[in-house]
Amino acid sequence: MQIVSQLLFLIALGVAIYIFSRRALGIRRNILLGRDVQLNDQPALRWKNLLLLAFGQKKMFRNPLVAVLHFFVYAGFLIINIEILEIIIDGMAGTHRIFAPYMGALYSVLIGCFEILAVLVAGACLIFLVRRNLLKLKRFISKDLNGWPRSDANYILLTEIILMLLFLTMNTADQVLQSRGAEHYYATGPFWVTGHFAPLLSGLSDSALLAVERGAWWLHILGVLAFLNYLPFSKHLHIILAFPNAYYSDLRPKGKMENMPAIQQEVLYAMQPELAANAPASDTVPKFGAKDVQDLTWKNLLDAYACTECGRCSAACPATQTGKALSPRLIMMKTRDRLEQVGQQKNGEADGKSLLRDYITEEELRACTSCAACVEECPVSINPLHIILQMRRHLVMEESSAPAEWNMMFSNIENNMAPWKFSPDDRDAWAH
């Protein structure tokens, strides 16, 4: 019977790892559809960003209460995985609490810490459920989240609560079996949380206790493996991608816009024609801005997958708050949706659609004030502004599509070197 259990566990583990690996490779392939960009300078500062923003959640602590609750969930996810390691080894080797004999009294302390974390995680998830569904905070009831995005968040929170309760139930039954000297149940001493609840199961028979303990064990690990494969389809993929996203964040000042070398070169040739005569000929026609996801950088596409859909960017966006069509959160969600669709196309076949207009409208792009509030607020270093600017650049430079007011401003800058229709010769008169 033990061999059958081990075999079933190995099959479940192997299938889960295989499915997760395929999905992870698919996401990586999609991200690499983007243009190349070098983001490996200043490694010391990048590691600092990773530790402070991704691991330390620095920006979350602008709201201390929410940050602490989020940290409970986050720390629980990371630390309790040590306990998952023991379960995996036990499942493959057919053992039970394999680390206990080697760690002695320290094992009981370690499991006790895990149990406290499990209670904190379950409590924090319950509070988050209340905030999302009962308190109805503005950024959680936004139309951006209609449909799957809203359900996704609730599914994850409920799953985490169930997993923590299964872990605590397993330990409670284990404690009673230990006290009865059941075979294979190593006496670890009382656990800090479940030790107080052991009397609730003391009336059960040994066989019933074994069924409860084994049932909770199997449901817990199968739930973890299912969660592993749900993660890449969920906004909670940021649990993994927040780390590389923080490391590869743009280190330039947030208000600085990206110039195009090809345009700078043409301006230089116009000012110094003698340089153009000796310039090497090029057969490639530069593409200005971005129309579809392949025109964006791989970092923009990584941003799309790393988005937590928390809405802090949209809550800070002046365009969103004044009722404009733009929502930075929705920009990231639409970019991810389009990238998923492009990634499913076989042999590079075009579907006749593009990110511009089929997903993101001109109205959304033109509503952006370029203030970078969304970039400043994002807790995982996502930059919706960079995507907006690239798409707006495509509209203006590739399609000559801009509002009349913009065209007037462009003309004035070109002719008068200022946005206003005043002669440069009269600048001293109107500048003061």
Side-chain angles (χ1 to χ4, degrees), residues 159 163 166 217-230:
T159 299
L163 288 176
L166 286 170
W217 187 93
W218 273 104
L219 289 173
H220 180 67
I221 190 59
L222 290 177
V224 169
L225 296 178
F227 180 86
L228 176 70
N229 283 286
Y230 178 78

Side-chain angles (χ1 to χ4, degrees), residues 54-57 61 67-83 113-114 116-118 120-122 124-125 128 160 164 239 243:
F55 188 78
Q57 304 180 61
F61 280 88
V68 170
L69 292 173
H70 191 273
F71 188 79
F72 289 158
V73 178
Y74 168 72
F77 174 82
L78 293 179
I79 298 173
I80 293 178
N81 280 335
I82 301 173
E83 178 263 344
C113 292
F114 291 164
I116 291 174
L117 273 175
L120 293 174
V121 168
C125 288
F128 287 146
E160 290 182 358
M164 295 304 101
I239 293 172
F243 294 91

Side-chain angles (χ1 to χ4, degrees), residues 116-278:
I116 291 174
L117 273 175
V119 172
L120 293 174
V121 168
C125 288
L126 184 61
I127 292 172
F128 287 146
L129 277 172
V130 170
R131 292 178 79 240
R132 282 183 172 273
N133 299 286
L134 297 181
L135 298 184
K136 297 186 181 299
L137 300 183
K138 186 176 180 180
R139 62 188 172 95
F140 292 142
I141 61 173
S142 167
K143 62 182 181 180
D144 295 359
L145 298 179
N146 288 348
W148 167 251
R150 182 169 287 109
S151 299
D152 174 37
N154 289 329
Y155 293 156
I156 286 289
L157 292 170
L158 288 170
T159 299
E160 290 182 358
I161 291 172
I162 291 171
L163 288 176
M164 295 304 101
L165 292 178
L166 286 170
F167 169 62
L168 294 172
T169 301
M170 175 185 74
N171 281 0
T172 303
D174 196 293
Q175 288 274 275
V176 180
L177 287 167
Q178 288 180 35
S179 67
R180 295 181 182 180
E183 188 178 5
H184 303 306
Y185 285 83
Y186 183 83
T188 61
F191 297 145
W192 294 353
V193 175
T194 55
H196 297 288
F197 294 95
L200 296 177
L201 300 182
S202 59
L204 298 179
S205 64
D206 287 355
S207 58
L209 278 171
L210 188 61
V212 170
E213 193 276 334
R214 286 291 86 190
W217 187 93
W218 273 104
L219 289 173
H220 180 67
I221 190 59
L222 290 177
V224 169
L225 296 178
F227 180 86
L228 176 70
N229 283 286
Y230 178 78
L231 202 63
F233 297 93
S234 163
K235 79 185 191 73
H236 287 74
L237 185 59
H238 74 269
I239 293 172
I240 299 172
L241 294 186
F243 294 91
N245 210 60
Y247 182 85
Y248 290 114
S249 59
D250 192 346
L251 300 182
R252 295 175 300 178
K254 291 182 176 61
K256 186 173 182 179
M257 296 186 184
E258 181 182 36
N259 290 322
M260 296 188 68
I263 298 298
Q264 290 176 300
Q265 189 178 57
E266 291 300 321
V267 172
L268 179 63
Y269 291 161
M271 297 177 66
Q272 297 178 274
E274 67 276 9
L275 296 178
N278 300 322

